[in-house]
Amino acid sequence: MLRVQGKAVHQCDSGWVPVFVDQEQSISLMSVGFLLEKPDEAVVWRGPKKNALIKQFVSDVAWGQLDYLVVDTPPGTSDEHMAVVDALRPYSPLGALVVTTPQAVSVGDVRRELTFCKKVGLRVIGVVENMSGFVCPHCAECTNIFSRGGGEELARHAGVPFLGSVPLDPELTRSLEEGRDFIQGFPESPAFPALSCIAQKILNEAPVGLC
């Protein structure tokens, strides 16, 4: 998605140097994928080793001055999620952005994520519903392929903000797979205003310098 395949992580006096996505070095990235000898290699580690690496990614990477630190985690409430929360706690993290799809199965999983956040004292910035309908590029009619409204209903029941719904868009998928800038390339896409609105709501909650 970010066109950084094959990039390497280097050491400096302050720790690991993250991989920079652009020439301006405005976006830096760290992933266990950079530490593997082969890109298709599986990471078969037990909890303590994984948790130690998560802590290293927070404290031993030379991040420099950041506006925001975004940690992308898979669904779940496992040891890895606990390790992330514990590693970030000294820095007073802003909170969690929770993403679901409309189906009941996904909403049920995310409901447990919200419970996890409550138990560990992590504020929920809001809920986003992804894959929320498909807008036909020819007639602009929206078809709810995976039902609709599950994320908004979940947020209402949990008492957390609902930030918006993002419709399916083949161009968004293609942009991610090809590492292209979707926002710049497809401003007329129905997903564009949804993503822009959600991003602005998050920024309003976390002005630069206050997170």
Side-chain angles (χ1 to χ4, degrees), residues 103-166:
Q103 309 97 304
V105 172
S106 177
V107 170
D109 286 340
V110 173
R111 185 177 291 109
R112 287 186 283 274
E113 296 273 1
L114 295 175
T115 303
F116 169 86
C117 291
K118 184 177 181 179
K119 287 186 175 181
V120 300
L122 184 63
R123 172 175 170 252
V124 176
I125 300 171
V127 174
V128 173
E129 183 175 288
N130 195 18
M131 301 183 183
S132 183
F134 172 74
V135 179
C136 176
H138 305 292
C139 68
E141 181 180 351
C142 181
T143 302
N144 297 320
I145 299 175
F146 300 114
S147 78
R148 186 178 177 86
E152 187 170 9
E153 184 71 8
L154 173 65
R156 188 178 65 81
H157 277 292
V160 299
F162 179 68
L163 301 181
S165 302
V166 181

Side-chain angles (χ1 to χ4, degrees), residues 11 37 39 97 99 110 118-119 122 132 152 167-168 188 193-194 196:
Q11 289 278 351
E37 292 184 3
L97 176 65
V99 181
V110 173
K118 184 177 181 179
K119 287 186 175 181
L122 184 63
S132 183
E152 187 170 9
L168 285 164
E188 302 301 319
S196 297

Side-chain angles (χ1 to χ4, degrees), residues 5 14 20 42 46 51 53 56 82 91 124 143 167 174-175:
Q5 301 95 317
S14 303
F20 293 102
R46 295 190 182 277
N51 295 347
L53 183 63
Q56 282 187 286
M82 285 294 302
Y91 305 96
V124 176
T143 302
R174 192 173 299 115
S175 295

Side-chain angles (χ1 to χ4, degrees), residues 16-45:
W16 283 327
V17 178
V19 170
F20 293 102
V21 175
D22 53 354
Q23 290 186 343
E24 295 79 15
Q25 298 188 354
S26 61
I27 301 176
S28 51
L29 178 68
M30 191 64 185
S31 169
V32 70
F34 297 133
L35 307 178
L36 302 177
E37 292 184 3
K38 299 178 181 178
D40 296 329
E41 185 178 344
V43 181
V44 187
W45 293 351

